[in-house]
Amino acid sequence: MFTLAMSSVRRRPGRFIATLLSTFLGAVVIMTFSSMLDTAAAPGIDSVSKEPITTAANVVGGYGALLVFFAIASTLTVNVRQRGEEIALLRRSGATPAQIKRMVVFEAAAVGIIGALLAVVPAMIGGQQLLNVFKDTGQVADGVDHVFGPIALSLGATITLLASVGAAFLAVRRATREAAGGRTSRGRAKNFAGVAALLLGAGTVSSTFAMDKTDVALMAAPGYGAILLAAGFAILSPALLRILLGVLSGPLTLLFGASGYLTVHNMRQRATQLSSVLMPLILFISISSAILYMQVIENDAAKAAGLTRSSDDKSIQTLNFVIAGIIVIFACIMLVNSLYAATTYRTREFGQQRLTGATPNQVLGMIGLESLILTVFGVFFATLSALAGIVSFTAVRTGTAVPEGQNLGIWLAVVGIGAAATIVTSVGTARRGLRTPATEAVALAA
């Protein structure tokens, strides 16, 4: 099994780069914030300095673990789907589903371990810079030294490895079933998970109304609720996307001709695969918008009441902006990573379309229109989940459901980044793939 797995990596190392990048970035995030626990546990640190860095580690630990799993799952799903023909060939050659699962899971574990090892030095640097942020805002004493120890190493390696192995197992399980001619529907389990995430998210958001407006942890419930709602929409996105395409089929074909027809046809066929792209897009827009707006609303409410911000308030504000910044960077990289891997894999498809009469411009038009539809779809459901958190927080914190004095600037900036990443990456990667002659593209990818 080891020989087979390593042979697969050596033959096509490019497809493992995206997975390695996901695990590496995930491990950096987890280790960076986990090192705050090592720092807090060091002898001689005062209780005032210990509180904000411990809070940062615990809060971002929850956010980070969730984001890391979704990011690695999205990338690994694309990776395994690209290997459908290879898995089918292994099945025809006598390999059992259990052997194929062990091979893919072993590969994912190996890449996860490598990613975690590579993340150690960047996480040490990141942890030191994060501690400096707390020092600069006066929340941690200048004499506190950064410690990168066993907690950061163990949590980073464990979470990254479990996410890699778990995501790989789920992805290859579906792939082997499809290779054996089994049922290719998403299955009741995933639909149940999506609905459960929506119900749990709605319940978490609703719990905000049971809290007092002066509660220090008031942002926690709507924040986690927005994440769960976004995850639920992302999990159910294939079914939701097919419904949308059914509505838009006629208008798109009428307005864009051949490109519109190709877009609808391809997106209907690839709705399940596109969920791996929608996951980081929806999470990015939803979480970033919710966190940033809630923090701005909190600042405005405190200012309007003439309150002086306490050290806890400063700690929470710093933490929220740091979380938002990490999410922006992490989710954007994951979005670009997933899009690049998914679009690169379609080089053969583009060649086949050109051989059947489609022009390069029509193929590019199809990709551009696909990206636009995905962006609009992702923005809609991400905004819906973010609004649930923002409105519930605002209603409790200020007594009104509509925040006063807020504009669309933050939302437009977040959406602009997500849209640019989606469209530029998809079209740019497709343009690069179209430079290869159609017959050569079909032959090389076969």
Side-chain angles (χ1 to χ4, degrees):
M1 193 56 59
F2 174 83
T3 303
L4 185 60
M6 291 300 99
S7 174
S8 179
V9 173
R10 285 196 298 268
R11 281 188 291 106
R12 293 186 178 181
R15 69 185 176 198
F16 293 95
I17 293 177
T19 305
L20 180 60
L21 179 60
S22 297
T23 55
F24 165 73
L25 291 172
V28 169
V29 172
I30 298 298
M31 289 183 184
T32 295
F33 282 91
S34 297
S35 69
M36 295 297 101
L37 295 176
D38 285 307
T39 302
I45 185 171
D46 61 279
S47 59
V48 176
S49 297
K50 182 183 294 187
E51 184 177 354
I53 59 177
T54 302
T55 302
N58 291 333
V59 173
V60 180
Y63 280 113
L66 194 61
L67 289 173
V68 167
F69 177 79
F70 283 137
I72 294 177
S74 296
T75 308
L76 273 170
T77 299
V78 173
N79 184 304
V80 173
R81 282 172 179 156
Q82 290 176 354
R83 304 172 64 182
E85 293 183 5
E86 175 187 340
I87 291 173
L89 178 60
L90 288 172
R91 291 283 288 122
R92 291 194 295 269
S93 301
T96 65
Q99 289 174 326
I100 296 174
K101 289 175 185 176
R102 285 197 297 270
M103 179 192 73
V104 174
V105 169
F106 183 89
E107 292 171 0
V111 173
I113 292 172
I114 294 172
L117 291 175
L118 293 175
V120 171
V121 174
M124 293 175 66
I125 298 173
Q128 180 62 65
Q129 296 303 313
L130 179 61
L131 183 63
N132 290 339
V133 171
F134 285 104
K135 289 181 179 180
D136 292 341
T137 55
Q139 301 168 62
V140 175
D142 292 335
V144 175
D145 295 324
H146 176 248
V147 178
F148 189 91
I151 299 177
L153 287 171
S154 59
L155 284 179
T158 301
I159 292 175
T160 303
L161 187 60
L162 288 177
S164 299
V165 171
F169 178 79
L170 293 175
V172 74
R173 183 181 180 185
R174 174 185 172 85
T176 52
R177 185 171 63 245
E178 291 180 357
R183 186 169 56 93
T184 60
S185 65
R186 299 185 72 239
R188 294 181 179 178
K190 288 186 177 180
N191 288 327
F192 177 80
V195 173
L198 290 179
L199 293 175
L200 187 58
T204 305
V205 167
S206 299
S207 69
T208 308
F209 295 98
M211 303 175 71
D212 187 84
K213 69 177 182 179
T214 59
D215 196 322
V216 176
L218 181 60
M219 293 186 191
Y224 278 112
I227 293 178
L228 290 169
L229 288 172
F233 286 131
I235 293 171
L236 296 174
S237 59
L240 297 172
L241 187 58
R242 288 189 180 97
I243 294 174
L244 176 65
L245 290 172
V247 175
L248 297 179
S249 176
L252 288 176
T253 303
L254 181 64
L255 290 174
F256 299 99
S259 293
Y261 172 79
L262 286 173
T263 299
V264 173
H265 176 75
N266 279 284
M267 292 188 75
R268 276 179 170 171
Q269 297 295 320
R270 299 176 58 252
T272 301
Q273 290 88 328
L274 291 174
S275 62
S276 61
V277 174
L278 285 168
M279 179 72 77
L281 177 62
I282 293 176
L283 287 173
F284 162 59
I285 295 175
S286 176
I287 301 173
S288 300
S289 298
I291 291 176
L292 290 173
Y293 269 111
M294 284 192 291
Q295 185 59 61
V296 171
I297 292 168
E298 170 62 27
N299 292 346
D300 290 347
K303 184 177 179 180
L307 300 176
T308 302
R309 291 190 305 167
S310 64
S311 59
D312 287 340
D313 295 331
K314 292 179 181 179
S315 177
I316 292 173
Q317 176 174 308
T318 302
L319 181 59
N320 284 333
F321 284 132
V322 168
I323 292 173
I326 288 175
I327 289 172
V328 168
I329 297 172
F330 186 69
C332 267
I333 293 176
M334 291 304 99
L335 176 60
V336 171
N337 199 22
S338 297
L339 280 168
Y340 179 81
T343 308
T344 300
Y345 173 65
R346 300 177 65 187
T347 300
R348 182 184 185 186
E349 174 193 330
F350 298 155
Q352 292 173 331
Q353 290 171 346
R354 290 159 64 192
L355 289 176
T356 56
T359 66
N361 286 336
Q362 287 175 332
V363 176
L364 280 178
M366 175 194 72
I367 295 298
L369 192 54
E370 278 186 12
S371 302
L372 181 60
I373 293 173
L374 282 178
T375 301
V376 173
F377 181 91
V379 167
F380 175 78
F381 286 105
T383 302
L384 197 62
S385 57
L387 277 176
I390 294 170
V391 170
S392 61
F393 172 80
T394 306
V396 174
R397 184 66 181 85
T398 67
T400 176
V402 180
E404 297 180 2
Q406 301 300 322
N407 54 46
L408 295 177
I410 295 176
W411 180 82
L412 290 174
V414 172
V415 169
I417 294 172
T422 302
I423 296 173
V424 172
T425 303
S426 297
V427 175
T429 306
R431 184 183 294 276
R432 180 182 177 184
L434 288 172
R435 293 175 184 172
T436 305
T439 52
E440 184 178 340
V442 173
L444 287 175

